[in-house]
Structures are given as structure tokens and as C-alpha cells.
Amino acid sequence: MGLAVLTMKASVIEMFLVLLVTGIHSNKEMTTKMKRPKLTVPQINCDIKARKIINPEFVVKCPAGCQDPRYHVYGTDVYASYSSVCAAAVHSGVLDNSGGKVLVRKVAGQSGYKGSYSNGVQSLSLPRWRESFIVSEGKPQKGVTYPSALTYSSAKSPAAKAGETTKAYQKPSVPGPTTQPVTLMQVPGTTPMEGNHTTLPKPSPSAGSATSSSRPQPLGHRSRELAGETDLWKPGSVLLDAGFVPEEELSTHPLDPESQGDPNCKVDLSFLIDGSASIGKRRFRIQKQFLADIAQALDIGPAGPLMGVVQYGDNPATQFNLKTHMNSRDLKAAIERIPQRGGLSNVGRAISFVTKSFFSKAGGNRASAPNVAVVMVDGWPTDKVEEASRLARESGINIFFITIEGAVENEKQYVMEPNFASKAACRTNSFYSLSVPSWFSLHKTVQPLVKRVCDSDQLACSKTCLNSADVGFVIDGSSSVGTGNFRTVLQFVANLSKEFEISDTDTRIGAVQYTYEQRLEFGFDTYSTKPDILNAIRRVGYWSGGTSTGAAIRYALEQLFKKSKPNKRKLMILITDGRSYDDIRIPAMAAHNKGVITYAIGVAWAAQDELEVLATHPAKDHAFFVDEFDNLYTLAPKVIQNICTEFNSRPRH
């Protein structure tokens, strides 16, 4: 019986222990579940500034689209609380433009905030602000409870539109420098009101995949997928904004004065961007970010550079012209909205389009600014560019050519036009042609390209046959010409002059009349506008006398061309109706040795053999003859054409 009792007691004890262990385990599970409540993350809008939220530390969810420039950010890494929370998160790299969760911590105010350009957001500089905040990934930290509803400094919270529950906070009536009951956390390594910045770890964005077009591609035209690429590109640093001190209750409108642009970079700039199907969506976004960085670095404005964009695929189309956006902010926003066209890479067709249609007065082209076209191509063009580019150069357009991920050795068989970049660019040297090995290194080209397009002294193709010469007319006023025919000669001179672009910095016109003697009618620096030149020609009086053409050439070299500018082409257009009474060979050779290009125009009794001696070699391109004064007008187009042909035939190096 004693053994039975002991056995029963053991069973009871064992059952009690089982129940005890089971209860402890159940309690532990309940405790664990109680310790892990589901976190409700409040949603806010892009325009919510950190200073409006009372909570010292919180997690919020930002919507998409906060990269928009109307949401202002002040500082870098450490942001003034006057900044948009979500825009600051995009600037820091914690979020991208698609939105997401972000952890925000309030920290002490700084004595200065430095603006910068990062991840598509331009932050502004600020001398000082009483409160700051930092952002990091929206992952809750262990042991920290974050509010599921935010406390705002005003009962009328804009965040209510996002559907969250808010708590109103009433400001105390006691005056003081700080009216918000916030315990500020100090950033490690900084002291309050110091300008040091704490750099937060930035998450690596995932490599998005490109979607390829279903459009059939031409033979050898690459259609590429990007899912395997991990060499992610980030925008390079560009110019800093000087910033300003905002008032407490200012609106969200921009507070800085509108820039008039950089006067040291006054160019009219067209970007021809590749919208072909082969480029893919991701590369197209990189291309747009590159344009935005260029726009920011250039400081767009009416007194500085202006920029328009043409996108090409099968056919080109103007996205916006030179006068559509007159500051960098608006231009960047417009670039972001450009959709991809798709199709082939018809670069030659795009260059022709720009030459004929883009640089027009109606499109904002300014006569005082050089025309620059920057062509961007992924791989290689699907049409020919040489002839279109030649016409562009002859129109005074400086073409820069950027090839990204050009053809490798086994792809060169598919390239329609070998050496297309050197054939398209303004000059064959490396100043106008850039080769970029990868789309992900394109951002490194921003500053070199900006420096080049702004260097107006190096923009060689701004000089054309019609805007880069000193043209000296040497006019026979001998008795054989007669008063009526002399007026016909002056009309011919006026017709030629009308074809040139005349100004102090463009083509300049001068005139000498001769008989036995010589007279300077007006020099290159006498008149600087076309109306003044034409009026001066009309006022030239007929002199009458003999014909000393050799002496007239020597006089023109001394009194006219000696004052020509070093960077000007020297053109002498000599018009005579008879044989010279003096030697012409030595003066003609002297003109040639001084770099003067001579066009000899003979009328009526002019000697053909003398015209060939006077004219620059080859004589067939520089000597002309008509048998009557009334037929002089027929020569004007031929003379201008030969002047331009001679100019455009020079080597491009």
C-alpha cells in the first residue's frame, strides 16, 4: 500500500509540473505577442514641413512625386525643419520619387545649412534655423515606440487629407524663443548651432529592369536588357544655391529672386536626345537626369544660356523651344515630363530638322548668341549624318556629338556610316566629340560639356561665310564708267553687302574708289549696321578720271585691310571696266601674301587676262565678267556662292 501511495504522489507531481510548464509557455507566447503590436504608420503629403510636426521622432509614409521642385529643402544630410520631410528624404537618398516609409528624428538647430543637388532634388542654403531633423530608413528600432498619429502645431493640419488621425497642439501663450514642447536630440559629433553635417548611411537602390519595345529593330541595332547591371548611376554635384532665411509663415512659393542667367555663358542651346526603342526606359531616365543636371549647372536665364530639347526616334519633334522655359527650375520640371518616343535612331534627320526649324526667331533664337546643338546617341545612328551636319555647320550651328556605349569591334559591321561622330561634329578634334563608355558614367560629362559650350571663343562653327569677314570693295570710278553706270555699280555693291551679317563682331564693310588717285569712302570701323552701310554706299559720289588699278590695290592694303581684325577673313571685291594704266602683278601678289582673297569683277572693256592676274587662284572661282553694266546684278548670287564654297571647303580640324 505504501508503494501505491508513493506512485500516486509521483503521478500528481508529474501532472502538476506538466501543467506548470505549459502555462509558462502559454504566458510567454502571450507576452511575446503583446510585445509585438502592429505598427500603424501615419501618411503625410509632400508639402508637410518638419516644423509642423511636434513629435521628436516618428515614422511616416511619403507619397510618390515629392521630387517636385515646389517642395523646398534646406541643407544637406542635416535639414532645417522648414524643409519638406518627404522631399528631404528623396534628396538624402533614403526614398526615391515613388515614395515610401522614412524615419525622422528632430535634432538641434544649426548655424548654417549648405545646399546641394542630389537625387534629382536641389536643396537650398540657409544661414541658420532653430531646429533640424535627419532622415533614415523607415525601420523601427528595438525598444522604441513610434506614434501611430502625429501631433501637429496647428489644428488645421494638411495631413488630414491623407486620411490619418491627428492631434491638435495649442501653442502656449507664454512668449519665448521656443514655443514647441520638443526635446531635441543632438546629432553625434555636432554642437547646437554649428554648421557641421552628419552623413547618414544611404540605402542602395535596387537595379530596376528596363522594358524593351516590341517594335522590330533594324539589323545590328541593339535591344538590351538592364536587369543584370548593378553599376548604378547617381547625379553628380552641380552648382549650389545661395539660399535665404525664410520667415515662419511664408507660403510654398519660391522665395529667391528669379535668376537672369549667367551672362558669361550666353548661348542658344538645343539638345537632341535619343528616344529610340533600343535605349530602354531606364537609360532614357538617365538621359533626362543628365539634361536636368546640365540645366542646373548652366544657370538658365534671359541674360545667359537658353535651352530647348528635340527628341528623335523615327522622326524628330521639339519637346520645347528656347523661350519656353526661362529658368533652370522650370526647365528641369519640363525635362522630367518628357515621354519616350520609341522607333529608330535617325540622327541625320534630327540634325536637318534642327537646322531648318529649331533656331528661329519665333522659337526664341537670339542673333547675339551662338547656336549650339548637342547630339546624344545610344550606340550609333540608323541613318547618315554627314550631309545634314555639313548644312548645319554652314548655318553657323556648333554641333557637339556625345556617343554613349558606342559600337564594339563585333558590332562595327552594323554601323551604317563609319566615323559618324567626326563627320557630324563641328570640328574633327576631341573638343566637339565625346565618347562615354557607359550610361552610368554619363554624369561625369556634365561639367566638361558645360565648360565647352560656354566657351564662345572656341565655338568655331559660329563663324560662317556671311558673318566672319572684312569685305573691302575697290571700285573703279574712271571716266569710261560714266555717272549712270556708276550708280549701277553702287547698286551691285549694295546687293552684295545685303547678303552679309553686319555688326562690330560679325562681317564689316569698307570701300575705296579709285581713278589715277584713290579715296577711302569709309573704313571697316566706320559703320556697324546694315542700314548704315547701305546708306553710305548710296552717298558715294562719282569721281571720274583714269584707271590705275595697281595703285588702288596698294592703297586698299594700306588704308583698309591694314586695319582688319586678325580673326577676320579678308575679302577684296574689285570692280573695273577697263585695262589698268599701271602694273597690277606686284600689287596682286602683295595682296595674296597678306592673306587677302581677291574677287575680280570685269565689265565691258575689262581685260580678261588682267582679271585672272588680279583674282585669287583658282581664277575660275574668283574672276567674273559681264559685257554690260546692266547685267552686273546676275553676278551677285554667284559671287556669294563662291565666297561660301571657299569658306566651307577649309579643313575641319
Side-chain angles (χ1 to χ4, degrees), residues 210 212 222-226 278-280 283 378-379 404-405 439:
S212 59
R222 288 178 289 188
S223 178
R224 300 168 294 193
E225 296 291 338
L226 299 176
S278 68
I279 194 174
R283 283 182 170 87
D378 172 51
I404 306 101
E405 298 184 7
W439 279 97

Side-chain angles (χ1 to χ4, degrees), residues 384-405:
K384 293 188 176 182
V385 302
E386 185 172 16
E387 179 63 16
S389 301
R390 181 185 67 79
L391 294 174
R393 290 192 298 272
E394 292 178 6
S395 299
I397 300 173
N398 296 273
I399 296 181
F400 287 81
F401 207 92
I402 303 178
T403 306
I404 306 101
E405 298 184 7

Side-chain angles (χ1 to χ4, degrees), residues 50 53-56 58 104-107 131-133 182 184-185:
I53 302 173
I54 302 302
N55 308 79
F58 52 91
V104 180
R105 285 194 297 139
K106 296 285 187 72
V107 295
E131 180 187 64
S132 309
F133 69 97
V182 179
L184 298 180
M185 299 175 62

